[in-house]
Amino acid sequence: AQSVTQLDSHVSVSEGTPVLLRCNYSSSYSPSLFWYVQHPNKGLQLLLKYTSAATLVKGINGFEAEFKKSETSFHLTKPSAHMSDAAEYFCVVTQVASGNTGKLIFGQGTTLQVKP
Amino acid sequence: EAGVTQSPTHLIKTRGQQATLRCSPISGHTSVYWYQQALGLGLQFLLWYDEGEERNRGNFPPRFSGRQFPNYSSELNVNALELEDSALYLCAERGPGYNEQFFGPGTRLTVL
């Protein structure tokens, strides 16, 4: 079975300081991992994805994430927060296996607050 | 090129009624996924359609159903609405990388 745990429900940072949103996953098979962002009253936007290529993945808007198999983690980072980064962030897993390409498993989400 | 579109944006129904939500993927994209985002319950997988067939279903009662049309657009129907069906319903299509999905803006369903 697959699951995702986002370790913080709420993270608050000051503008210009680093962002760290933590995610641990569980998967019986080789996972594909994603981070999505949801701004208020909007749909989900794909930030970045890991699909067994490079373990350090770069995404949009300066975000990146590192896949660490030994720690079963996929933490999202950004060197310098911007006010526009304030949103809900979801860590997502799906398994790379034939016949199982339909379902994304979402973490509970982390609300990122950016203070001026 | 426009992304996934959903209609209506908002839908208000009363308990016991039926709701119909619509989704259109980018032209030619055959897979459509439905998710429910309810307050306190997070994002949960509902249904997956591909090539007109239901391929996978989440842990939802049978009153949640849908279909996919020949042009690959999709409908989600919720019968006998209950208060707890109030949620944001998101539709997604499969991206070119095979596993990622791209989401529409959602339909906010409110059941009174």
Side-chain angles (χ1 to χ4, degrees):
Chain A
Q2 296 175 292
S3 65
V4 174
T5 302
Q6 292 183 242
L7 300 172
D8 306 291
S9 59
H10 187 270
V11 170
S12 181
V13 301
S14 297
E15 190 175 22
T17 65
V19 175
L20 170 63
L21 304 183
R22 299 182 295 163
C23 171
N24 286 350
Y25 70 92
S26 172
S27 177
S28 304
Y29 302 94
S30 299
S32 286
L33 292 158
F34 312 88
W35 277 96
Y36 283 85
V37 61
Q38 186 177 34
H39 288 92
N41 300 312
K42 299 287 187 183
L44 294 161
Q45 181 183 20
L46 179 65
L47 273 180
L48 51 79
K49 65 179 180 180
Y50 165 78
T51 54
S52 77
T55 57
L56 183 62
V57 181
K58 294 188 183 299
I60 61 172
N61 300 333
F63 285 95
E64 63 181 38
E66 186 172 7
F67 174 74
K68 292 186 177 181
K69 186 176 181 178
S70 60
E71 300 176 10
T72 60
S73 69
F74 190 57
H75 301 334
L76 182 70
T77 60
K78 183 173 180 177
S80 176
H82 191 272
M83 295 297 291
S84 61
D85 295 329
E88 186 88 10
Y89 291 79
F90 294 94
C91 184
V92 179
V93 66
T94 190
Q95 64 187 60
V96 181
S98 177
N100 288 289
T101 56
K103 186 162 68 171
L104 297 182
I105 308 295
F106 285 81
Q108 288 301 304
T110 298
T111 301
L112 176 63
Q113 179 187 23
V114 182
K115 296 178 288 187
Chain B
E1 183 179 354
V4 177
T5 58
Q6 291 187 247
S7 63
T9 305
H10 294 92
L11 190 57
I12 300 175
K13 295 285 186 179
T14 56
R15 198 167 47 182
Q17 285 188 313
Q18 178 195 35
T20 298
L21 289 64
R22 296 178 179 83
C23 170
S24 292
I26 293 174
S27 177
H29 290 204
T30 64
S31 277
V32 170
Y33 306 82
W34 287 95
Y35 293 84
Q36 181 197 64
Q37 187 175 24
L39 199 62
L41 295 177
L43 272 147
Q44 296 182 281
F45 168 76
L46 254 172
L47 289 160
W48 169 30
Y49 291 95
D50 184 53
E51 300 280 0
E53 301 279 335
E54 182 181 304
R55 301 295 185 183
N56 200 356
R57 183 182 181 86
N59 188 26
F60 282 84
R63 57 191 187 82
F64 285 84
S65 65
R67 55 179 173 168
Q68 187 176 33
F69 299 99
N71 66 353
Y72 304 122
S73 66
S74 176
E75 254 181 22
L76 174 68
N77 296 294
V78 188
N79 295 320
L81 284 165
E82 300 179 2
L83 297 178
E84 53 264 34
D85 297 332
S86 294
L88 180 66
Y89 289 85
L90 292 163
C91 173
E93 63 174 13
R94 184 188 296 171
Y98 193 63
N99 280 312
E100 72 266 25
Q101 294 175 18
F102 294 99
F103 287 81
T107 293
R108 173 75 62 185
L109 173 64
T110 302
V111 182
L112 302 175

